[in-house]
Amino acid sequence: MGIALDHYRSAQSTSRMGTENPFADYSEEILQVARRALNQPPSAAEMSPFTGEGANHASALFAMTSLTDPEDAGLLVRILQSSTNPEVRNVALAVARETVWQSETPDQALISILGDIALNTGERYDERVRAIGALGSARTEKAISTLRAGTEDEDLRIQAHSAHELAEEDLLEQYRPFLEHLVSTWPEDAPFPASEVRYALDE
């Protein structure tokens, strides 16, 4: 099952280069299989030594990247709460971003756990950045307040990523004074994406 889901995702990834996914007609079936896989226990590490425990969840999430919809929020919350596999968590965060983007009213439990990851200094840096990106796809009060809190983080990189999400076109004018003050506190060589925030303010 995992190999089949991986093949679907690999074929889907080539579609951006103009090659149609030959499995496109099975997309709904793929989505249902992926959801069932996420409701199963994580597979043993011996089944996939490269990925480790939960390779079935990683394959399911990879396949769902372009198929997910808002109803998957609960599954994502559970995976993010339970999985300790970095690959599974990173893919779950990528799917969460797509799920949030598609939601007129994003699931509050999902926004909450994304906020917990984004602001937790004990989490892996790459996972914090992915959580910030997912929050940047929402326009809820909770998501925005979390991004603002991220601009006060002790890690300047987290500050920059949080500010970058607040510098999106539809938010920029509202938060321009806040961002201008924040940027004024950064050194000239502040890490990426600080330069992107400065560019947005200068446009």
Side-chain angles (χ1 to χ4, degrees), residues 19-198:
T19 304
E20 183 178 354
N21 186 344
F23 310 124
D25 290 345
Y26 301 97
S27 293
E28 184 58 33
E29 184 178 349
I30 289 287
L31 178 58
Q32 297 307 319
V33 170
R35 287 169 172 166
R36 287 199 297 272
L38 291 178
N39 279 307
Q40 296 172 357
S43 56
E46 300 80 52
M47 292 185 67
S48 181
F50 179 77
T51 302
E53 183 182 62
N56 58 332
H57 291 170
S59 293
L61 290 162
F62 271 121
M64 289 174 65
T65 304
S66 57
L67 299 176
T68 186
D69 62 38
E71 74 177 74
D72 294 315
L75 277 174
L76 295 170
V77 169
R78 185 169 55 76
I79 293 296
L80 289 170
Q81 287 174 332
S82 63
S83 179
T84 58
N85 183 317
E87 182 168 354
V88 173
R89 287 175 63 83
N90 273 322
V91 185
L93 289 166
V95 178
R97 181 171 188 163
E98 184 65 24
T99 302
V100 170
W101 176 257
Q102 293 187 31
S103 305
E104 289 187 15
T105 306
D107 183 87
Q108 288 306 296
L110 182 56
I111 293 297
S112 181
I113 195 168
L114 290 172
D116 291 344
I117 295 170
L119 300 181
N120 186 349
T121 58
E123 296 280 2
R124 290 163 52 100
Y125 167 71
D126 58 332
E127 292 179 8
R128 296 184 71 190
V129 170
R130 286 180 180 270
I132 288 168
L135 289 167
S137 295
R139 292 296 181 266
T140 66
E141 182 179 346
K142 174 68 172 176
I144 296 298
S145 66
T146 302
L147 293 174
R148 292 194 61 159
T151 66
E152 300 174 4
D153 196 86
E154 61 186 27
D155 189 332
L156 188 53
R157 299 172 299 173
I158 296 297
Q159 289 186 32
H161 280 286
S162 300
H164 190 222
E165 297 300 332
L166 292 173
E168 287 291 326
E169 185 176 358
D170 63 316
L171 296 174
L172 181 58
E173 290 312 308
Q174 181 180 356
Y175 293 101
R176 177 179 290 277
F178 173 79
L179 292 172
E180 287 176 340
H181 173 72
L182 176 66
V183 168
S184 72
T185 69
W186 291 347
E188 285 301 315
D189 61 349
F192 182 84
S195 58
E196 297 296 314
V197 179
R198 289 187 171 116

